[in-house]
Amino acid sequence: MNVIFALVCSISMIILLFINPDGVLTAFLTGGEKALSLATKMIIVHAVWMGVFNLLEKTKLSNKFAKLLSPLNNFLFGKVPESAKGFISLNISANALGMSGATTPMGIKAIAELEKHKNTEYAIAMFFVINATSVQIIPTSVLALRASLGSASPSDIVIPTILATFLSTIIGVILVKTFIKKS
Amino acid sequence: MSKYFIPILFLIVFLFSIIKKVKPYDAFTEGAKSAIPFAISVFPYLVSIFILTELFEASGLSSAVSTFLQPVFSLLGIPAELTKLVLIKPFSGSGSLAILSEIYTKYGVDSYLSRCASVIYGSSETVFYIAAVYFAGAKTKKLTAPILISLVASFISCAFACFICKIM
């Protein structure tokens, strides 16, 4: 991350120095502004979902849900502490269903739980890759945008999207299984 | 169907908390409490990621990189018009959505390019953004391998998306 950040930022700044020196500070400030507006939105979304999750945890509903998905969990993550399993299952299901507000808070909780235990680096890597390769089944935002622009059949792209989504996740899972050591 | 999912989930959770005699008010408030510390811990990471995207765009570097990579992309069957979308998607959700709607209006929403772009957008994630947010509070900083794996997997599926849109 440090290398990418340093490289992209310095090259961009060198270019801007020649074409638009004022643009450098503007870009930094605009970035900060966008981050703040997103963070404000996050406070609201997280307050709601973290409240609901705490109830899920306290009522032990999340454990029941994790048991339902445990064969899949065992295949993907190996030995994982019970407490993290619930959040992993919820995160992946919410992701698949396109509940975009719910996925981030659950993902963060899952990683925090995993980090409390030793030898979970493999599970954390697997969990991140599954999230970052997208498991969303119905691309809700794309469908809405297509419909609003008067597409003859907005849902045309659903099956190709599902196939591509699955492919990227499967490749991701295989790569993690081959390149990251299970501890 | 999907519009009932969240209300029903919330309802089940609340009803269950009554049955299980978990104090719903206390538990909900306790959970909600973590929202502000979370936002504060994530904010610096968001700032860095957004500055990165802003600079990348404003300097014209993203366009330059797209032009440079176009031959490689077209070799894999990814149309030149979509190079920018493929490049921006891992960094920024709002940025790539803007590019997607630009493609829609420019080439017509039902054209091959637009369908391809839809599949690419819908089947990939904002990898760097997820890395920043998910690991904001985490101790693990060993992220290079997982990030690379995610990027490679997403890139292969982009090429696949362009192929499948041709035959479907």
Side-chain angles (χ1 to χ4, degrees):
Chain A
M1 205 57 215
N2 284 314
V3 179
I4 297 170
F5 189 68
L7 262 181
V8 175
C9 289
S10 3
I11 299 174
S12 303
M13 279 190 273
I14 294 169
I15 300 171
L16 279 172
L17 210 56
F18 287 104
I19 56 169
N20 177 19
D22 291 335
V24 176
L25 188 60
T26 315
F28 272 82
L29 292 174
T30 324
E33 217 170 275
K34 285 190 177 168
L36 181 63
S37 77
L38 186 65
T40 334
K41 264 185 224 144
M42 274 182 159
I43 296 181
I44 305 161
V45 174
H46 275 243
V48 172
W49 283 104
M50 288 301 198
V52 175
F53 293 153
N54 204 35
L55 281 177
L56 267 173
E57 219 181 347
K58 289 266 157 71
T59 54
K60 306 253 174 352
L61 268 177
S62 58
N63 291 354
K64 283 196 182 115
F65 191 66
K67 250 177 216 147
L68 223 65
L69 287 179
S70 75
L72 183 69
N73 278 336
N74 291 341
F75 169 72
L76 289 173
F77 302 103
K79 269 194 188 144
V80 168
E82 277 305 314
S83 53
K85 266 188 191 165
F87 289 110
I88 293 177
S89 317
L90 284 168
N91 164 279
I92 294 178
S93 326
N95 243 324
L97 294 166
M99 292 158 61
S100 47
T103 53
T104 323
M106 268 184 285
I108 290 159
K109 274 226 143 198
I111 289 182
E113 277 301 321
L114 285 173
E115 281 212 318
K116 285 184 193 158
H117 302 268
K118 274 182 184 163
N119 299 328
T120 46
E121 276 138 33
Y122 172 84
I124 291 174
M126 183 62 97
F127 180 70
F128 170 75
V129 168
I130 289 174
N131 266 280
T133 52
S134 167
V135 283
Q136 187 177 358
I137 300 170
I138 308 292
T140 37
S141 53
V142 176
L143 285 177
L145 187 61
R146 281 173 65 84
S148 74
L149 288 172
S151 163
S153 128
S155 56
D156 253 10
I157 49 101
V158 171
I159 290 169
T161 305
I162 292 174
L163 293 175
T165 298
F166 270 106
L167 182 77
S168 66
T169 309
I170 289 168
I171 296 173
V173 168
I174 294 172
L175 289 175
V176 171
K177 281 197 179 270
T178 20
F179 289 111
I180 295 177
K181 266 188 218 138
K182 233 180 212 174
S183 35
Chain B
M1 178 51 206
S2 58
K3 69 178 168 191
Y4 293 107
F5 194 79
I6 292 178
I8 289 175
L9 174 78
F10 281 18
L11 193 62
I12 291 175
V13 174
F14 275 85
L15 290 178
F16 237 80
S17 68
I18 299 169
I19 300 168
K20 289 253 177 167
K21 300 211 173 77
V22 172
K23 292 178 187 133
Y25 177 70
D26 292 352
F28 191 91
T29 322
E30 192 193 307
K33 216 186 272 170
S34 62
I36 289 179
F38 162 74
I40 290 172
S41 72
V42 110
F43 178 68
Y45 297 92
L46 291 178
V47 173
S48 316
I49 288 286
F50 279 110
I51 289 174
L52 178 79
T53 1
E54 282 299 315
L55 283 171
F56 192 49
E57 275 284 301
S59 63
L61 183 62
S62 73
S63 316
V65 175
S66 341
T67 327
F68 179 73
L69 286 176
Q70 253 167 35
V72 188
F73 277 41
S74 40
L75 207 70
L76 290 162
I78 301 172
E81 294 86 342
L82 303 182
T83 324
K84 208 168 171 193
L85 177 67
V86 177
L87 281 178
I88 293 293
K89 180 76 202 204
F91 292 99
S92 151
S94 53
S96 50
L97 191 63
I99 297 174
L100 181 69
S101 44
E102 203 181 288
I103 293 173
Y104 283 166
T105 40
K106 201 166 172 188
Y107 303 103
V109 68
D110 287 316
S111 64
Y112 167 68
L113 282 175
S114 294
R115 282 186 299 123
C116 253
S118 312
V119 177
I120 290 174
Y121 181 88
S123 66
S124 56
E125 276 288 353
T126 44
V127 176
F128 288 103
Y129 168 77
I130 292 182
V133 174
Y134 277 31
F135 290 95
K139 281 164 267 151
T140 330
K141 298 292 170 203
K142 280 185 261 172
L143 283 175
T144 321
I147 287 180
L148 273 180
I149 289 174
S150 309
L151 289 175
V152 168
S154 306
F155 186 68
I156 298 174
S157 96
C158 285
F160 174 75
C162 296
F163 168 73
I164 197 129
C165 280
K166 233 173 227 167
I167 57 170
M168 278 182 89

